Amino acid sequence: MLRPVKRPSIAIIGSGRLGTALAFCLTRCGYSINEIVTRQRSSSFASARRLAREVGARASSGTAARFDADLVWFCVPDSKIAQAARELSDNNWKGKIALHSSGVLPSDALLLLRKQGAHVASAHPLMTFVKASVPDLSGVMFAAEGDAPALRVARRIVRDMGGEMVVLRKRDKAAYHAFATMVCPLLLSLLACAEETAGLAGISRRQARRRVLPIIRQTLWNYSELGPAKSFTGPIVRGDAPTIRLHLDALAKITAARNAYVALARAAVKYLPSKNRQQLEAMLRRSNS
């Protein structure tokens, strides 16, 4: 009979939105969180203590942390990963797993710990984390890159959380993160532009936010089930240049929204089905001049 593989104990560096979501999800999946580590004098230490109580861990400052966990997961801003690794490098890292969750930085951000005997990797969840909610990570893709032993452990953890891990090449991380940025923060940028445009029609932001939900939900369902080409509707697919011209004229008062419309319309003409393609391309080019 095969013996069950021992689950690694985990320490989480940082108690922000990502660290909190991981701590709750890992605990629900049966993982032991040994420590929530942050800076003693930082404003986040109080939140680290609250999080630690909720997941049955101890809260520690970086200098006083025990680091007796098998795996250390860095959940700090991208610009702080290498610094955090440097500040904690005096601990015994031999044989440990060290992960960070940057979408754009490679595992080399933890190079110092690799040199000290750790197996390192990056594992970025394709999910949004905001203060008002703690998302479930089941069904979420984790983009990973790094040392083979660290990736093996990360894959099992992601699977236990109900997610799916995809291994990237180091040189592909920037493109992956651009993709992630387009589907979440820049999607919100588009919706913010849409709210501004609704204002031109006398519709308040609050009304616009509420009224767009049915069409957004249906669009996402269509995209999921049919793909982008079969879900595409509106004046571009019909090649209706006069309507698009009217749109651009109406948007003249909101430069950012107009620029976003033009950029997205040009992408639609290039990647999605449309009639009168050459006419539309010429009109959109002129609109940028």
Side-chain angles (χ1 to χ4, degrees):
M1 179 181 295
L2 293 175
R3 294 183 179 179
V5 178
K6 177 180 176 292
R7 288 179 168 179
S9 56
I10 297 173
I12 293 177
I13 313 297
S15 58
R17 292 165 289 176
L18 172 58
T20 296
L22 281 172
F24 283 132
C25 191
L26 289 165
T27 300
R28 285 196 300 268
C29 295
Y31 282 86
S32 173
I33 309 296
N34 287 18
E35 285 186 302
I36 306 293
V37 182
T38 188
R39 290 182 173 178
Q40 177 76 53
R41 296 182 181 179
S42 72
S43 59
S44 62
F45 192 67
S47 64
R49 293 178 66 180
R50 286 193 297 271
L51 177 59
R53 283 196 299 270
E54 292 187 66
V55 299
R58 60 180 176 271
S60 306
S61 68
T63 54
R66 298 182 198 173
F67 283 101
D68 52 358
D70 304 310
L71 183 149
V72 179
W73 204 321
F74 289 77
C75 298
V76 298
D78 291 6
S79 61
K80 302 293 184 183
I81 293 172
Q83 177 185 339
R86 187 165 57 251
E87 291 175 354
L88 302 174
S89 61
D90 288 341
N91 295 279
N92 178 18
W93 288 94
K94 189 171 181 61
K96 288 187 183 293
I97 303 294
L99 304 178
H100 74 68
S101 288
S102 168
V104 70
L105 297 178
S107 58
D108 292 346
L110 299 175
L111 178 62
L112 180 58
L113 305 185
R114 179 187 280 142
K115 290 180 177 178
Q116 295 188 210
H119 303 295
V120 306
S122 62
H124 177 266
L126 188 61
M127 177 49 65
T128 180
F129 301 91
V130 297
K131 289 182 179 179
S133 67
V134 178
D136 182 11
L137 298 179
S138 60
V140 171
M141 182 186 103
F142 281 69
E145 171 275 325
D147 304 339
L151 290 175
R152 282 196 297 271
V153 175
R155 186 181 295 279
R156 185 191 172 201
I157 292 173
V158 169
R159 185 178 65 241
D160 288 344
M161 289 193 292
E164 177 186 4
M165 195 174 92
V166 175
V167 178
L168 302 178
R169 297 174 299 183
K170 191 180 300 186
R171 64 178 179 270
D172 292 335
K173 289 210 66 178
Y176 157 76
H177 198 247
F179 153 68
T181 300
M182 292 175 75
V183 300
C184 183
L186 291 183
L187 175 58
L188 287 171
S189 175
L190 170 62
L191 294 174
C193 285
E195 286 186 12
E196 292 293 324
T197 304
L200 295 175
I203 302 170
S204 71
R205 288 186 178 87
R206 185 176 181 181
Q207 286 178 317
R209 200 171 305 142
R210 186 172 71 252
R211 302 298 185 191
V212 299
L213 292 179
I215 191 172
I216 289 174
R217 291 191 185 105
Q218 187 63 46
T219 300
L220 291 176
W221 187 93
N222 293 346
Y223 170 76
S224 172
E225 297 298 317
L226 306 173
K230 291 183 179 179
S231 304
F232 191 51
T233 62
I236 293 175
V237 74
R238 298 192 300 269
D240 187 352
T243 293
I244 295 169
R245 181 74 263 168
L246 289 172
H247 291 174
L248 294 174
D249 291 343
L251 289 168
K253 297 178 181 178
I254 310 177
T255 302
R258 190 179 190 276
N259 290 343
Y261 184 104
V262 170
L264 290 169
R266 294 182 72 176
V269 171
K270 182 175 180 61
Y271 297 119
L272 293 167
S274 63
K275 296 179 180 178
N276 300 329
R277 190 179 299 271
Q278 291 183 344
Q279 181 185 3
L280 294 179
E281 287 176 342
M283 184 182 69
L284 292 168
R285 278 198 303 272
R286 288 195 300 272
S287 69
N288 272 345
S289 59

